[in-house]
Amino acid sequence: MGSSSDSYSNNDDNNAVGWNRAGGLIMKTLVLFGGALLLKRLTKSTTRWDHARFVSQSLSGEKFSKEQAARDPENYFNIRMVTCPAAEMVDGSTVLYFEQAFSRTPQKPFRQRFYTVKPCSKEMKCDVELSSYAIREMEEYKNFCDRTKDQCPLPEEIVGDIAEHLTTLHLKRCDRGKRCLYEGSTPPGSFPNSWNGAAYCTSELSILKNNEVHTWERGYDEDGNQVWGTKEGPYEFKAVPANSLKDMFSPLNFSQQSMEKRIEGSFVLQ
C-alpha cells in the first residue's frame, strides 16, 4: 500500500496530462478556426463591379510612353495619356474622359474620347466591358482632367455630350503567370473606320501592375492591309511620379512639325 504522498503525486501527474491534452485540443481548435477564417477571407469572391472599379482606377491618371520612345524613337512618340472620372450613368457605369497629346504640347490633345466602364453581362465570357465614344463638343473638353471641378461641365451635361459609339473591348482577368492583370480586345469583325483608307479597326488593351497600360490600335483596308497604327507592338504607358514630370521636356520630344509629319500611320488624328 503506497503512502499518501505517492497518491498525491499520481493525481498531479494525471491532472497535468489532462490539462496538456485539453490545451492541445484548444490550440488545434483555434488554429483550425483561424485557418478557416483566413481561407474565407482569401477566397472571398470578387464581385463583377469590383472588376469594373479596378479597371477604371487603373486607367485613370497621367501616363507617358517616354521609356518606350527612348528605346525606339523611330516607331514610338513620347505621348501623354490622361484619363479621369467624369460622370456616372444611370446603370452604374463609370464615364471616363480620355485624351492623348504629345508630351511637349499637352494643351493640344489630338485624341479625345469618353469611355464607359461596366461589368460584362453574366452570359458573356469576360469581366469588364470598356466602350469608347466620340464627344459632341470636343473643344469644351480639352484638358478636362487638369481643371478644377467648378471649371468642368456638370455630370448631366457630360452624359448628354456622349456621341456615337466607336469601339467596345471585352476585358478578362489574365491567367496566372502572365504579366498583365486584365487584357482584352475588340470582338471578331472589329469596328468600321475610314481614316487613311481604312475599312475597319481593331483595338487591344492590357492593364499591368502599377497602373501601367498597353494599347494597340490598328486600321486595315478591305484587303486586310494595315494602313495605320504601329506594327511593332502596343504603346506602353506608364504612370510617372510628379517629381519626374520635369524630365518630359527632353530631346525625345522632337519639334511639333516633325512629329505631325511622322504621326501618319501611328495614331488617328481627329
Side-chain angles (χ1 to χ4, degrees):
M1 187 172 179
S3 66
S4 61
S5 61
D6 291 337
S7 175
Y8 288 135
S9 177
N10 289 336
N11 288 338
D12 290 342
D13 291 341
N14 291 334
N15 289 337
V17 170
W19 277 111
N20 286 338
R21 287 178 179 174
L25 287 173
I26 293 172
M27 184 60 68
K28 288 180 180 179
T29 302
L30 290 174
V31 169
L32 289 173
F33 183 70
L37 287 177
L38 180 61
L39 181 63
K40 184 178 180 180
R41 177 171 294 183
L42 292 175
T43 57
K44 183 181 179 181
S45 59
T46 303
T47 68
R48 296 161 58 242
W49 284 102
D50 287 336
H51 292 299
R53 280 189 287 268
F54 184 87
V55 168
S56 295
Q57 292 168 3
S58 297
L59 291 173
S60 297
E62 187 177 36
K63 310 177 196 297
F64 293 86
S65 59
K66 177 186 177 183
E67 292 184 16
Q68 191 177 33
R71 294 195 310 267
D72 189 359
E74 290 301 312
N75 292 300
Y76 297 95
F77 304 104
N78 186 3
I79 301 297
R80 177 188 189 245
M81 180 175 79
V82 184
T83 310
C84 61
E88 187 174 297
M89 305 289 279
V90 291
D91 64 353
S93 304
T94 299
V95 179
L96 301 175
Y97 172 78
F98 159 90
E99 71 178 21
Q100 288 180 331
F102 294 113
S103 61
R104 186 184 182 92
T105 54
Q107 73 280 7
K108 297 179 180 179
F110 58 77
R111 174 179 287 177
Q112 296 170 263
R113 296 280 190 271
F114 279 135
Y115 284 145
T116 61
V117 188
K118 65 180 182 180
C120 289
S121 57
K122 292 183 178 179
E123 62 271 13
M124 297 179 67
K125 295 180 179 179
C126 59
D127 295 305
V128 180
E129 184 176 289
L130 177 67
S131 297
S132 64
Y133 296 84
I135 300 175
R136 231 175 276 283
E137 301 292 340
M138 288 192 300
E139 285 296 319
E140 294 184 9
Y141 286 89
K142 282 186 175 180
N143 307 124
F144 174 88
C145 298
D146 299 321
R147 306 181 198 172
T148 58
K149 187 175 181 179
D150 61 330
Q151 296 176 321
C152 296
L154 297 173
E156 55 268 26
E157 295 175 325
I158 292 171
V159 173
D161 283 333
I162 298 176
E164 67 268 24
H165 173 244
L166 300 174
T167 60
T168 293
L169 289 85
H170 296 137
L171 305 178
K172 294 180 62 176
R173 284 173 294 179
C174 295
D175 295 332
R176 187 183 299 274
K178 299 186 71 172
R179 284 186 63 212
C180 60
L181 301 176
Y182 291 84
E183 64 180 352
S185 60
T186 47
S190 304
F191 289 86
N193 185 279
S194 59
W195 190 78
N196 201 37
Y200 65 93
C201 67
T202 63
S203 181
E204 299 177 18
L205 183 141
S206 298
I207 293 174
L208 289 75
K209 292 181 180 179
N210 301 319
N211 296 332
E212 183 176 342
V213 175
H214 293 184
T215 64
W216 197 1
E217 298 180 326
R218 290 162 288 180
Y220 298 87
D221 62 21
E222 293 180 352
D223 297 323
N225 300 310
Q226 185 176 343
V227 293
W228 60 259
T230 58
K231 296 183 178 181
E232 291 72 18
Y235 260 83
E236 301 173 1
F237 292 96
K238 297 184 178 182
V240 179
N243 59 0
S244 299
L245 294 180
K246 61 183 180 181
D247 296 331
M248 290 295 102
F249 298 91
S250 68
L252 286 173
N253 299 312
F254 314 105
S255 69
Q256 184 67 17
Q257 183 178 5
S258 172
M259 279 187 172
E260 290 174 351
K261 288 181 180 179
R262 295 175 52 206
I263 199 172
E264 288 188 9
S266 293
F267 276 96
V268 179
L269 285 173
Q270 293 178 316

